[in-house]
Coordinates of all heavy atoms in Angstrom, one line a residue:
M108 N 40.6 103.5 111.2 CA 40.3 102.9 109.9 C 40.0 104.0 108.9 O 39.5 105.0 109.2 CB 38.9 102.0 110.1 CG 38.7 101.2 109.0 SD 37.3 100.0 109.3 CE 36.1 100.8 108.4
A109 N 40.4 103.6 107.6 CA 40.2 104.8 106.6 C 38.7 104.9 106.3 O 37.9 104.0 106.4 CB 40.9 104.2 105.4
A110 N 38.4 106.1 105.8 CA 37.1 106.5 105.5 C 36.6 106.0 104.2 O 37.4 106.1 103.2 CB 36.8 107.9 105.6
K111 N 35.5 105.3 104.0 CA 35.0 104.8 102.7 C 34.3 106.0 102.0 O 34.4 106.0 100.8 CB 33.9 103.7 103.0 CG 34.6 102.4 103.7 CD 33.6 101.4 103.6 CE 34.4 100.2 104.3 NZ 34.1 99.0 103.6
L112 N 33.7 106.9 102.6 CA 33.1 108.0 101.9 C 33.8 109.4 102.5 O 34.0 109.5 103.7 CB 31.6 108.2 102.3 CG 30.8 106.9 101.8 CD1 29.4 107.1 102.1 CD2 30.9 106.9 100.2
K113 N 34.2 110.2 101.6 CA 34.9 111.4 101.9 C 34.1 112.6 101.3 O 33.3 112.5 100.4 CB 36.3 111.4 101.4 CG 37.1 110.3 102.1 CD 38.5 110.3 101.5 CE 39.5 109.2 102.2 NZ 40.8 109.3 101.8
K114 N 34.5 113.8 101.7 CA 34.1 115.1 101.3 C 34.3 115.2 99.7 O 35.4 114.9 99.3 CB 34.7 116.3 102.0 CG 34.2 117.6 101.5 CD 34.9 118.7 102.3 CE 34.4 120.0 101.8 NZ 35.0 121.1 102.7
G115 N 33.3 115.5 99.0 CA 33.5 115.7 97.5 C 33.1 114.4 96.7 O 32.9 114.5 95.6
D116 N 32.8 113.3 97.4 CA 32.3 112.0 96.7 C 30.9 112.2 96.2 O 30.1 112.9 96.9 CB 32.4 110.8 97.7 CG 33.7 110.4 98.0 OD1 34.7 110.9 97.2 OD2 34.0 109.6 98.9
K117 N 30.7 111.7 95.1 CA 29.2 111.6 94.5 C 28.6 110.4 95.1 O 29.1 109.3 95.0 CB 29.2 111.5 93.0 CG 30.0 112.6 92.3 CD 29.1 113.8 92.1 CE 29.7 114.8 91.1 NZ 30.1 116.0 91.9
V118 N 27.4 110.6 95.7 CA 26.8 109.5 96.5 C 25.3 109.4 96.0 O 24.7 110.4 95.5 CB 26.9 109.6 97.9 CG1 28.3 109.3 98.4 CG2 26.3 110.9 98.4
V119 N 24.7 108.2 96.2 CA 23.3 108.0 96.1 C 22.7 107.6 97.4 O 23.2 106.9 98.2 CB 22.9 107.0 94.9 CG1 23.5 105.6 95.3 CG2 21.4 106.9 94.6
V120 N 21.4 108.0 97.6 CA 20.7 107.7 98.9 C 20.0 106.3 98.7 O 19.4 106.1 97.8 CB 19.7 108.8 99.3 CG1 19.0 108.4 100.6 CG2 20.4 110.0 99.4
L121 N 20.3 105.4 99.7 CA 19.7 104.1 99.5 C 18.3 103.9 100.1 O 17.5 103.1 99.8 CB 20.6 103.0 100.2 CG 22.0 103.0 99.6 CD1 22.9 102.0 100.3 CD2 22.0 102.6 98.1
T122 N 18.0 104.6 101.3 CA 16.8 104.5 101.9 C 16.3 105.8 102.4 O 17.1 106.8 102.5 CB 16.9 103.6 103.2 OG1 17.8 104.2 104.1 CG2 17.4 102.2 102.8
G123 N 15.0 105.9 102.8 CA 14.5 107.1 103.4 C 13.7 107.9 102.3 O 13.4 107.5 101.2
K124 N 13.3 109.2 102.7 CA 12.3 110.0 101.9 C 13.1 110.4 100.6 O 12.4 110.7 99.6 CB 11.8 111.1 102.6 CG 12.9 112.1 103.0 CD 12.3 113.3 103.7 CE 13.5 114.3 104.0 NZ 13.0 115.5 104.6
D125 N 14.4 110.4 100.6 CA 15.1 110.9 99.4 C 15.7 109.7 98.7 O 16.8 109.9 97.9 CB 16.2 111.9 99.8 CG 15.7 113.2 100.4 OD1 14.7 113.7 99.8 OD2 16.3 113.7 101.4
K126 N 15.3 108.6 98.7 CA 15.7 107.3 98.1 C 15.9 107.6 96.6 O 15.0 108.1 95.9 CB 14.8 106.1 98.4 CG 15.3 104.8 97.8 CD 14.4 103.7 98.1 CE 14.8 102.4 97.5 NZ 14.0 101.3 97.9
G127 N 17.2 107.2 96.2 CA 17.5 107.3 94.7 C 18.1 108.6 94.3 O 18.5 108.7 93.2
K128 N 18.0 109.6 95.2 CA 18.5 111.0 94.8 C 20.1 110.9 94.8 O 20.6 110.3 95.7 CB 18.0 112.0 95.7 CG 16.6 112.4 95.5 CD 16.2 113.6 96.4 CE 14.7 113.9 96.1 NZ 14.3 115.1 97.0
K129 N 20.7 111.7 94.0 CA 22.2 111.7 94.0 C 22.6 113.1 94.4 O 21.9 114.1 94.2 CB 22.7 111.4 92.6 CG 22.3 109.9 92.2 CD 22.9 109.7 90.8 CE 22.5 108.2 90.4 NZ 22.9 107.9 89.1
G130 N 23.8 113.2 95.0 CA 24.4 114.5 95.4 C 25.9 114.3 95.8 O 26.4 113.2 95.7
E131 N 26.4 115.4 96.3 CA 27.9 115.5 96.6 C 27.9 115.7 98.0 O 27.3 116.5 98.6 CB 28.6 116.5 95.7 CG 30.0 116.5 96.0 CD 30.7 117.5 95.1 OE1 30.3 117.7 93.9 OE2 31.7 118.3 95.6
I132 N 28.8 115.0 98.8 CA 29.0 115.2 100.1 C 29.8 116.5 100.4 O 30.8 116.8 99.8 CB 29.9 114.0 100.7 CG1 29.1 112.7 100.6 CG2 30.3 114.3 102.1 CD1 29.8 111.5 101.2
T133 N 29.2 117.4 101.2 CA 29.9 118.6 101.6 C 30.5 118.6 102.9 O 31.4 119.4 103.1 CB 28.8 119.8 101.6 OG1 27.7 119.4 102.4 CG2 28.2 119.9 100.2
Q134 N 30.1 117.7 103.8 CA 30.7 117.6 105.1 C 30.5 116.3 105.6 O 29.5 115.7 105.5 CB 29.9 118.6 106.1 CG 30.5 118.6 107.4 CD 29.7 119.5 108.4 OE1 28.7 120.1 107.9 NE2 30.1 119.7 109.5
V135 N 31.5 115.7 106.4 CA 31.4 114.4 107.0 C 31.8 114.5 108.4 O 32.7 115.3 108.8 CB 32.5 113.4 106.3 CG1 32.5 112.0 107.0 CG2 32.3 113.3 104.9
M136 N 31.0 113.8 109.2 CA 31.1 113.9 110.7 C 31.3 112.4 111.2 O 30.4 111.7 111.5 CB 29.8 114.4 111.3 CG 29.6 115.9 111.0 SD 27.9 116.5 111.4 CE 27.0 116.0 110.0
P137 N 32.7 112.0 111.3 CA 32.9 110.6 111.5 C 32.5 110.1 113.0 O 32.1 109.0 113.1 CB 34.5 110.5 111.4 CG 34.9 111.7 110.8 CD 33.8 112.7 110.9
K138 N 32.6 111.1 113.9 CA 32.2 110.7 115.3 C 30.7 110.5 115.4 O 30.3 109.4 116.1 CB 32.4 112.0 116.2 CG 33.8 112.1 116.7 CD 33.8 113.1 117.8 CE 35.3 113.2 118.4 NZ 35.5 114.2 119.3
D139 N 29.8 111.1 114.6 CA 28.4 110.8 114.6 C 28.0 109.8 113.5 O 26.9 109.4 113.4 CB 27.7 112.1 114.3 CG 27.9 113.2 115.3 OD1 28.3 112.8 116.5 OD2 27.9 114.4 115.0
N140 N 29.0 109.4 112.7 CA 28.7 108.5 111.5 C 27.7 109.1 110.6 O 26.9 108.3 110.1 CB 28.3 107.1 112.1 CG 28.6 106.0 111.0 OD1 29.5 106.1 110.3 ND2 27.8 105.0 111.0
K141 N 27.8 110.4 110.4 CA 26.8 111.0 109.4 C 27.5 111.9 108.4 O 28.8 112.2 108.6 CB 25.9 111.9 110.3 CG 25.0 111.1 111.2 CD 24.1 112.0 112.0 CE 23.1 111.2 112.9 NZ 22.0 110.6 112.1
A142 N 26.9 112.3 107.4 CA 27.4 113.2 106.4 C 26.3 114.2 105.9 O 25.1 113.8 106.0 CB 27.9 112.4 105.2
V143 N 26.7 115.3 105.5 CA 25.7 116.3 104.9 C 25.9 116.2 103.4 O 27.0 116.4 102.9 CB 26.0 117.7 105.5 CG1 25.1 118.7 104.7 CG2 25.8 117.7 106.9
V144 N 24.8 116.0 102.6 CA 24.9 115.8 101.1 C 24.1 117.0 100.5 O 22.9 117.3 101.0 CB 24.3 114.5 100.8 CG1 24.4 114.3 99.3 CG2 25.0 113.4 101.4
E145 N 24.6 117.6 99.6 CA 24.0 118.8 98.9 C 22.7 118.4 98.3 O 22.6 117.4 97.4 CB 25.0 119.3 97.8 CG 24.7 120.6 97.2 CD 25.8 120.9 96.2 OE1 26.9 120.8 96.5 OE2 25.3 121.4 95.1
G146 N 21.7 119.1 98.7 CA 20.4 118.9 98.1 C 19.6 117.8 98.7 O 18.5 117.4 98.2
I147 N 20.1 117.0 99.7 CA 19.4 115.8 100.3 C 19.0 116.1 101.7 O 19.8 116.8 102.4 CB 20.4 114.6 100.2 CG1 20.9 114.3 98.8 CG2 19.8 113.3 100.7 CD1 19.8 113.9 97.7
N148 N 17.9 115.5 102.1 CA 17.5 115.6 103.5 C 17.3 117.1 103.9 O 17.8 117.6 104.9 CB 18.4 114.9 104.5 CG 17.7 114.6 105.8 OD1 16.6 114.5 105.9 ND2 18.6 114.3 106.8
I149 N 16.5 117.8 103.1 CA 16.4 119.3 103.3 C 15.3 119.5 104.4 O 14.2 118.9 104.4 CB 16.0 120.0 102.0 CG1 17.0 119.8 101.0 CG2 15.6 121.4 102.2 CD1 18.2 120.6 101.2
A150 N 15.7 120.4 105.3 CA 14.8 120.8 106.3 C 14.6 122.4 106.3 O 15.6 123.1 106.0 CB 15.2 120.4 107.7
I151 N 13.4 122.9 106.7 CA 13.3 124.3 106.7 C 13.7 124.9 108.2 O 13.1 124.5 109.1 CB 11.8 124.7 106.4 CG1 11.3 124.1 105.1 CG2 11.6 126.2 106.4 CD1 12.0 124.8 103.9
R152 N 14.6 125.7 108.1 CA 15.1 126.4 109.4 C 14.5 127.8 109.4 O 14.6 128.6 108.4 CB 16.5 126.5 109.5 CG 17.2 125.1 109.7 CD 17.1 124.7 111.2 NE 17.3 123.3 111.3 CZ 16.4 122.5 111.9 NH1 15.3 122.8 112.2 NH2 16.7 121.3 112.1
H153 N 13.9 128.2 110.5 CA 13.4 129.5 110.7 C 14.4 130.4 111.4 O 14.8 130.1 112.5 CB 12.1 129.5 111.5 CG 11.0 128.8 110.9 ND1 10.9 127.4 110.8 CD2 9.8 129.2 110.2 CE1 9.8 127.0 110.1 NE2 9.1 128.1 109.8
T154 N 14.8 131.4 110.8 CA 15.9 132.3 111.4 C 15.4 133.7 111.5 O 14.5 134.2 110.8 CB 17.2 132.3 110.5 OG1 16.8 132.7 109.2 CG2 17.8 130.9 110.3
K155 N 15.9 134.3 112.6 CA 15.6 135.7 112.9 C 16.5 136.6 112.0 O 17.6 136.3 111.8 CB 15.8 136.0 114.3 CG 15.1 137.2 114.9 CD 15.3 137.3 116.4 CE 14.1 136.9 117.2 NZ 14.2 137.2 118.6
Q156 N 16.0 137.7 111.6 CA 16.7 138.7 110.8 C 17.8 139.3 111.6 O 17.6 139.5 112.8 CB 15.7 139.8 110.3 CG 16.5 140.7 109.3 CD 15.3 141.7 108.8 OE1 14.2 141.5 108.9 NE2 15.8 142.7 108.1
S157 N 19.0 139.5 111.0 CA 20.0 140.2 111.7 C 20.6 141.3 110.8 O 20.1 141.4 109.6 CB 21.1 139.3 112.0 OG 21.8 138.8 110.9
Q158 N 21.6 142.0 111.2 CA 22.2 143.1 110.2 C 22.8 142.6 109.1 O 22.7 143.1 108.0 CB 23.2 143.8 111.1 CG 22.6 144.8 112.2 CD 23.7 145.7 112.7 OE1 24.8 145.2 112.9 NE2 23.4 146.9 113.0
T159 N 23.3 141.3 109.1 CA 24.0 140.7 107.9 C 23.1 139.9 107.1 O 23.4 139.8 105.8 CB 25.2 140.0 108.4 OG1 24.8 138.9 109.3 CG2 26.3 140.8 109.1
S160 N 22.1 139.2 107.6 CA 21.4 138.3 106.9 C 19.9 138.6 107.0 O 19.3 139.0 108.0 CB 21.7 136.9 107.2 OG 21.2 136.7 108.6
Q161 N 19.2 138.2 105.9 CA 17.7 138.3 105.9 C 17.2 137.1 106.7 O 17.6 136.1 106.6 CB 17.3 138.2 104.4 CG 15.8 138.3 104.3 CD 15.3 139.8 104.5 OE1 15.8 140.7 104.3 NE2 14.0 139.8 105.0
G162 N 16.1 137.3 107.4 CA 15.4 136.3 108.2 C 14.4 135.6 107.3 O 14.3 135.9 106.2
G163 N 13.8 134.6 108.0 CA 12.7 133.9 107.2 C 13.0 132.4 107.3 O 13.6 131.8 108.2
R164 N 12.3 131.7 106.3 CA 12.3 130.2 106.2 C 13.5 129.8 105.2 O 13.4 130.2 104.1 CB 11.1 129.6 105.8 CG 9.9 130.0 106.8 CD 8.6 129.6 106.2 NE 8.6 128.1 106.0 CZ 7.9 127.4 105.3 NH1 7.1 128.1 104.4 NH2 7.8 126.1 105.2
I165 N 14.5 129.2 105.8 CA 15.7 129.0 104.9 C 15.9 127.5 104.9 O 16.1 126.7 105.9 CB 17.0 129.6 105.6 CG1 16.9 131.2 105.6 CG2 18.3 129.2 104.8 CD1 17.9 131.9 106.3
P166 N 16.0 126.9 103.7 CA 16.2 125.5 103.5 C 17.6 125.1 103.7 O 18.5 125.9 103.3 CB 15.8 125.2 102.0 CG 15.7 126.5 101.4 CD 15.6 127.6 102.4
Q167 N 17.8 124.0 104.6 CA 19.1 123.6 105.0 C 19.2 122.2 104.9 O 18.4 121.4 105.3 CB 19.4 124.1 106.4 CG 20.7 123.8 107.0 CD 21.0 124.4 108.3 OE1 20.0 124.8 108.9 NE2 22.1 124.2 108.8
A168 N 20.4 121.7 104.4 CA 20.7 120.2 104.2 C 21.0 119.7 105.7 O 22.0 120.2 106.2 CB 21.7 120.0 103.2
M169 N 20.3 118.7 106.1 CA 20.6 118.1 107.4 C 21.5 116.8 107.2 O 21.5 116.2 106.2 CB 19.3 117.7 108.2 CG 18.4 119.0 108.3 SD 19.2 120.3 109.3 CE 19.2 119.6 110.8
P170 N 22.1 116.4 108.3 CA 23.0 115.2 108.2 C 22.2 114.0 107.9 O 21.0 113.8 108.4 CB 23.7 115.2 109.6 CG 23.5 116.5 110.2 CD 22.4 117.1 109.6
I171 N 22.8 113.0 107.2 CA 22.1 111.7 107.0 C 23.2 110.6 107.2 O 24.4 110.8 107.2 CB 21.7 111.6 105.5 CG1 21.0 110.3 105.1 CG2 22.9 111.7 104.6 CD1 20.2 110.3 103.9
D172 N 22.7 109.5 107.8 CA 23.6 108.4 108.2 C 24.4 107.8 107.1 O 23.9 107.6 105.9 CB 22.9 107.3 109.0 CG 23.6 106.5 109.9 OD1 23.8 107.0 111.1 OD2 24.2 105.5 109.5
L173 N 25.7 107.5 107.3 CA 26.6 107.0 106.3 C 26.1 105.7 105.7 O 26.4 105.3 104.6 CB 28.0 106.9 106.8 CG 28.7 108.2 107.0 CD1 30.0 108.0 107.6 CD2 28.9 109.0 105.7
S174 N 25.4 104.9 106.6 CA 25.0 103.6 106.1 C 23.8 103.7 105.1 O 23.5 102.7 104.3 CB 24.4 102.8 107.4 OG 23.2 103.5 107.9
N175 N 23.2 104.9 105.0 CA 22.1 105.1 104.0 C 22.7 105.7 102.6 O 21.9 106.1 101.8 CB 21.1 106.0 104.5 CG 20.4 105.5 105.8 OD1 20.3 104.2 105.9 ND2 19.9 106.3 106.6
L176 N 24.0 105.8 102.5 CA 24.6 106.4 101.4 C 25.5 105.3 100.7 O 26.1 104.5 101.3 CB 25.5 107.5 101.7 CG 24.8 108.7 102.4 CD1 25.8 109.8 102.8 CD2 23.8 109.4 101.5
A177 N 25.7 105.4 99.4 CA 26.5 104.5 98.6 C 27.1 105.4 97.5 O 26.6 106.3 97.0 CB 25.7 103.3 98.0
L178 N 28.4 105.1 97.3 CA 29.2 105.8 96.3 C 28.7 105.5 94.9 O 28.2 104.4 94.5 CB 30.6 105.3 96.4 CG 31.7 106.2 95.7 CD1 31.8 107.5 96.4 CD2 33.0 105.5 95.5
V179 N 28.8 106.4 94.0 CA 28.3 106.3 92.7 C 29.6 106.1 91.9 O 30.5 106.9 91.8 CB 27.5 107.6 92.1 CG1 27.2 107.4 90.7 CG2 26.3 107.8 92.9
D180 N 29.6 104.9 91.0 CA 30.7 104.5 90.2 C 30.7 105.3 88.9 O 29.8 106.2 88.6 CB 30.8 103.0 90.0 CG 29.6 102.4 89.2 OD1 28.8 103.2 88.9 OD2 29.6 101.2 89.1
A181 N 31.6 104.9 88.0 CA 31.6 105.6 86.5 C 30.4 105.4 85.7 O 30.1 106.2 85.0 CB 32.9 105.2 85.9
N182 N 29.7 104.3 86.1 CA 28.6 103.9 85.3 C 27.3 104.6 85.8 O 26.1 104.5 85.3 CB 28.3 102.5 85.3 CG 29.5 101.7 84.6 OD1 30.2 102.3 83.7 ND2 29.7 100.5 84.9
G183 N 27.4 105.3 86.9 CA 26.2 106.0 87.5 C 25.4 105.1 88.5 O 24.3 105.4 88.8
K184 N 26.0 104.0 88.8 CA 25.3 103.0 89.7 C 26.0 103.0 91.1 O 27.1 103.3 91.3 CB 25.4 101.6 89.2 CG 24.5 101.5 87.9 CD 24.3 100.0 87.5 CE 23.4 100.0 86.3 NZ 23.1 98.6 86.0
A185 N 25.1 102.6 92.2 CA 25.6 102.6 93.4 C 26.7 101.4 93.6 O 26.5 100.3 93.0 CB 24.4 102.2 94.4
T186 N 27.7 101.6 94.4 CA 28.8 100.6 94.5 C 29.3 100.6 96.0 O 29.2 101.7 96.7 CB 29.9 100.8 93.5 OG1 30.8 99.7 93.7 CG2 30.6 102.2 93.8
R187 N 29.8 99.5 96.4 CA 30.5 99.4 97.7 C 32.0 99.8 97.5 O 32.5 99.8 96.3 CB 30.4 98.1 98.2 CG 29.0 97.7 98.5 CD 29.0 96.4 99.4 NE 29.9 95.4 98.8 CZ 29.5 94.1 98.6 NH1 28.3 93.7 98.9 NH2 30.3 93.3 98.1
V188 N 32.7 100.3 98.6 CA 34.0 100.7 98.4 C 35.0 99.7 99.0 O 34.7 99.2 100.1 CB 34.1 102.0 99.2 CG1 35.6 102.5 99.1 CG2 33.3 103.1 98.6
G189 N 36.0 99.4 98.3 CA 37.1 98.5 98.8 C 38.4 99.2 98.9 O 38.6 100.3 98.4
F190 N 39.4 98.5 99.5 CA 40.7 99.2 99.8 C 41.7 98.1 99.2 O 41.6 97.0 99.3 CB 41.0 99.5 101.2 CG 40.2 100.6 101.8 CD1 39.1 100.3 102.5 CD2 40.6 101.9 101.6 CE1 38.2 101.3 103.1 CE2 39.7 102.9 102.1 CZ 38.7 102.6 102.8
R191 N 42.7 98.6 98.5 CA 43.8 97.9 98.2 C 45.1 98.7 98.1 O 45.1 100.0 98.1 CB 43.6 97.2 96.8 CG 43.5 98.1 95.6 CD 43.2 97.3 94.3 NE 42.9 98.2 93.3 CZ 42.0 98.0 92.3 NH1 41.3 97.1 92.3 NH2 41.8 98.9 91.4
V192 N 46.3 98.0 98.1 CA 47.6 98.7 98.0 C 48.1 98.7 96.6 O 48.3 97.8 95.9 CB 48.6 98.1 99.0 CG1 49.9 98.8 98.9 CG2 48.0 98.1 100.4
E193 N 48.4 99.9 96.1 CA 49.0 100.1 94.8 C 50.3 101.0 94.8 O 50.1 102.1 95.4 CB 48.0 100.7 93.8 CG 46.8 99.7 93.3 CD 46.0 100.3 92.3 OE1 46.2 101.5 91.8 OE2 45.0 99.7 91.9
D194 N 51.4 100.5 94.4 CA 52.6 101.3 94.5 C 52.9 101.7 95.9 O 53.4 102.9 96.1 CB 52.6 102.4 93.5 CG 52.3 102.0 92.1 OD1 52.7 100.8 91.7 OD2 51.7 102.8 91.3
G195 N 52.6 101.0 96.9 CA 52.9 101.3 98.3 C 51.8 102.2 98.9 O 52.0 102.6 100.1
N196 N 50.9 102.6 98.1 CA 49.8 103.5 98.7 C 48.5 102.8 98.8 O 48.1 102.0 98.0 CB 49.6 104.7 97.9 CG 50.8 105.7 97.8 OD1 51.5 105.8 98.8 ND2 51.1 106.3 96.6
K197 N 47.7 103.1 99.9 CA 46.4 102.5 100.1 C 45.5 103.3 99.3 O 45.3 104.5 99.6 CB 46.1 102.4 101.6 CG 44.9 101.7 101.9 CD 44.7 101.6 103.4 CE 43.5 100.8 103.8 NZ 43.3 100.8 105.2
V198 N 44.7 102.6 98.4 CA 43.7 103.4 97.6 C 42.3 102.8 97.7 O 42.2 101.6 98.1 CB 44.1 103.5 96.1 CG1 45.4 104.3 95.9 CG2 44.2 102.0 95.5
R199 N 41.2 103.7 97.4 CA 39.9 103.2 97.5 C 39.6 102.8 96.0 O 40.0 103.4 95.1 CB 38.9 104.3 97.9 CG 39.1 104.8 99.3 CD 38.2 105.9 99.7 NE 38.2 107.0 98.9 CZ 37.2 107.8 98.7 NH1 36.0 107.6 99.3 NH2 37.3 108.8 97.9
F200 N 38.7 101.7 95.8 CA 38.3 101.4 94.6 C 36.8 100.9 94.6 O 36.3 100.5 95.7 CB 39.1 100.2 94.0 CG 39.0 98.9 94.6 CD1 38.1 98.0 94.1 CD2 39.7 98.5 95.7 CE1 38.0 96.7 94.6 CE2 39.4 97.3 96.3 CZ 38.6 96.3 95.8
A201 N 36.2 101.0 93.4 CA 34.7 100.7 93.4 C 34.7 99.2 93.2 O 35.3 98.6 92.2 CB 34.1 101.4 92.2
K202 N 33.9 98.5 94.0 CA 33.7 97.1 93.8 C 33.1 96.6 92.6 O 33.4 95.5 92.0 CB 32.9 96.5 95.0 CG 33.6 96.7 96.4 CD 34.3 95.4 96.8 CE 34.8 95.6 98.2 NZ 35.1 94.3 98.8
T203 N 32.2 97.4 92.0 CA 31.5 97.0 90.8 C 32.4 97.1 89.5 O 32.4 96.1 88.8 CB 30.3 97.9 90.4 OG1 30.7 99.3 90.5 CG2 29.3 97.7 91.5
T204 N 33.2 98.1 89.4 CA 34.0 98.2 88.2 C 35.5 97.9 88.5 O 36.3 97.6 87.5 CB 34.0 99.6 87.7 OG1 34.4 100.6 88.7 CG2 32.5 100.0 87.2
G205 N 35.9 98.0 89.8 CA 37.4 97.8 90.1 C 38.2 99.1 89.8 O 39.4 99.1 90.0
D206 N 37.6 100.1 89.5 CA 38.3 101.4 89.2 C 38.8 102.1 90.5 O 38.0 102.1 91.5 CB 37.4 102.5 88.4 CG 37.1 101.9 87.0 OD1 37.9 101.0 86.5 OD2 36.1 102.3 86.4
V207 N 39.9 102.7 90.5 CA 40.4 103.5 91.6 C 39.6 104.8 91.7 O 39.4 105.4 90.7 CB 41.9 103.8 91.5 CG1 42.3 104.7 92.7 CG2 42.7 102.5 91.5
I208 N 39.2 105.2 92.9 CA 38.4 106.4 93.2 C 39.4 107.5 93.4 O 40.2 107.5 94.2 CB 37.4 106.2 94.4 CG1 36.5 105.0 94.1 CG2 36.7 107.4 94.7 CD1 35.9 104.6 95.3

């Protein structure tokens, strides 16, 4: 099945501690049904110093479930994603505005 959310999409968080925050998807993990969103679901990771990197407490974006994310349409509101065929190609479109993504 085609992916409703892909890398580079602008999304809004629907539930959880980061509810209402917007960001861009940097990584999608379809097997786990999760995605990493820039600036969302931040956790502090403690890392040991090495020759190449400084150690310490490093903030890192953790995966969030795809069901807790919604695509942001042209108006800046959350929307569901639909599929339709245009000129022989399957395209994604925003359900609120009908615009092709």
Side-chain angles (χ1 to χ4, degrees):
M108 193 171 103
K111 293 187 181 220
L112 297 174
K113 296 182 178 183
K114 182 178 177 179
D116 285 348
K117 302 269 189 258
V118 293
V119 62
V120 180
L121 300 175
T122 58
K124 66 176 184 177
D125 293 322
K126 180 178 180 177
K128 289 186 181 177
K129 295 179 182 179
E131 186 175 319
I132 295 179
T133 56
Q134 181 185 3
V135 179
M136 296 168 270
K138 276 189 177 177
D139 303 330
N140 202 36
K141 292 180 182 285
V143 176
V144 182
E145 190 178 314
I147 306 290
N148 200 21
I149 298 292
I151 302 291
R152 288 282 165 239
H153 296 75
T154 57
K155 200 177 251 190
Q156 185 175 351
S157 66
Q158 282 187 326
T159 57
S160 65
Q161 179 71 32
R164 302 175 62 205
I165 298 171
Q167 182 179 10
M169 301 303 289
I171 187 168
D172 205 84
L173 289 176
S174 63
N175 296 335
L176 301 174
L178 195 74
V179 175
D180 64 3
N182 301 334
K184 294 193 175 185
T186 182
R187 294 190 313 227
V188 178
F190 293 96
R191 65 178 172 221
V192 177
E193 288 185 2
D194 303 326
N196 293 327
K197 188 175 182 180
V198 295
R199 298 183 302 156
F200 73 97
K202 294 265 187 156
T203 55
T204 59
D206 296 338
V207 174
I208 301 166

